[in-house]
Amino acid sequence: MIRGEKIGLRARHEVDVPALHAAFHDDVAGRTRTDSRPWQPISAGSPHSPFAVTEPSEQVAPFSVVELETQALAGAALLWGVDTHNRSAHLGISLLSAFRGRGLGADVVRVLCEYGFAVRGLQRLQVETLADNAPMIAAARKTGFTAEGTLRRTAWVYGSFMDVVVLGLLADEWAGQVS
């Protein structure tokens, strides 16, 4: 487990899958806000569930988020699109509703950055999020990410197009934050 101040990131366990799948996949409108692929009905027990436990991969590092104080499952986090040649990746987080608004998001982003920069040796991490996702934008900025631009009307979200904000953080910008 990689620990932050309030949360830890650990490998996904089979017992996590039903809760993550129900909260983040079965909510169709919510899922279309976090995944650019069209929603499809998939059962939690399917190996195609976006939260299924999978073999390690060079391109994706999925984690379960655990609140350290209670050891309760708090959500999911991942590095995805890991490019080992250019040493870059994207990151994403999803917190269960009971854990939102408690300052955990920035801690999850910090720990993902530690994993990406200190463990994986990446040069760049990137966040793409809907322009109205103020909590994610705030968590990324609090962690040192810089807004790099807006992709206008690029995301099809449950019946309409929305803007996407791109934020980036480089390893040398992160270097001062490692404790």
Side-chain angles (χ1 to χ4, degrees), residues 89-126:
H90 307 263
L91 63 87
I93 70 171
S94 295
L95 292 175
L96 295 167
S97 60
F99 294 91
R100 294 179 191 152
R102 295 171 42 187
L104 301 181
D107 201 26
V108 175
V109 172
R110 275 192 299 277
V111 177
L112 278 172
C113 289
E114 181 177 345
Y115 175 74
F117 293 133
V119 176
R120 297 290 296 262
L122 299 176
Q123 163 61 23
R124 174 186 167 78
L125 292 175
Q126 182 169 311

Side-chain angles (χ1 to χ4, degrees), residues 142-164:
K142 185 174 183 179
T143 309
F145 280 77
T146 300
E148 296 179 335
T150 300
L151 304 173
R152 298 178 306 140
R153 296 181 57 197
T154 194
W156 178 250
V157 179
Y158 210 76
S160 62
F161 284 103
M162 296 184 69
D163 293 350
V164 170

